[in-house]
Amino acid sequence: MSGVTGRVDVSAVWPDMFTTARLRATPLCEADGALFAALYGDAETMAQVGAPLDVEAAGRALSAALRQMRSDPPRARYWRLDDGPHALGLLSLVIDAGRTTAETGLLLGAGARTRGIACEALAALLPRVICAGGLEAVWTRHRPGHAAAEGLMRSLGFAPLDAAAGWARWQMGRARLRALAATRIKV
């Protein structure tokens, strides 16, 4: 699909689904309502994000996410992350107004944390969306002092940005991703 400038819209390079050695990422859909409500309603999962949602609020948030995915052009992509038959969490990519950068986020259930799931999912997603014809950069944010999120960003090579209104912020740009890919040892 073409944008106002006539170039291909960045949403054309977003993967519908993708897999890694152990993960399968599939588009969020109405059938994922229970997973969505469980993650967004869990106080521990939401501790670094915001207030947990009740079932009705989670349903409204799921509907809003699906509308973003179905808009023309799409304003977001949300994936369900699975490890075989087990639902692990959600991964998101929400495009900024200029359609050149996007915010990414992850919500993982308690059983999926500290297993490298977030690192594996983002490491697979970033080269697919930060590419020629794709996004120029992906950014993320977390609450200051969230050691796990900070460790994830550092391990992936994200660059820290200035903090903003109670958030630690990080960014991965196209040049940085290329430089990291060139220096990483492939096994």
Side-chain angles (χ1 to χ4, degrees), residues 20-87:
T20 69
R22 64 180 166 162
L23 301 177
R24 185 180 74 225
T26 55
L28 182 69
C29 66
E30 287 86 357
D32 295 322
L35 172 64
F36 198 92
L39 290 169
Y40 279 93
D42 181 65
E44 184 181 343
T45 300
M46 295 296 290
Q48 298 294 330
V49 180
L53 302 179
D54 63 32
V55 173
E56 289 178 7
R60 288 190 302 273
L62 173 62
S63 294
L66 294 172
R67 279 192 306 277
Q68 288 179 316
M69 289 175 60
R70 294 175 181 147
S71 66
D72 187 17
R75 293 190 312 266
R77 173 73 76 207
Y78 296 84
W79 295 271
R80 171 191 171 117
L81 297 175
D82 295 300
D83 177 6
H86 306 289

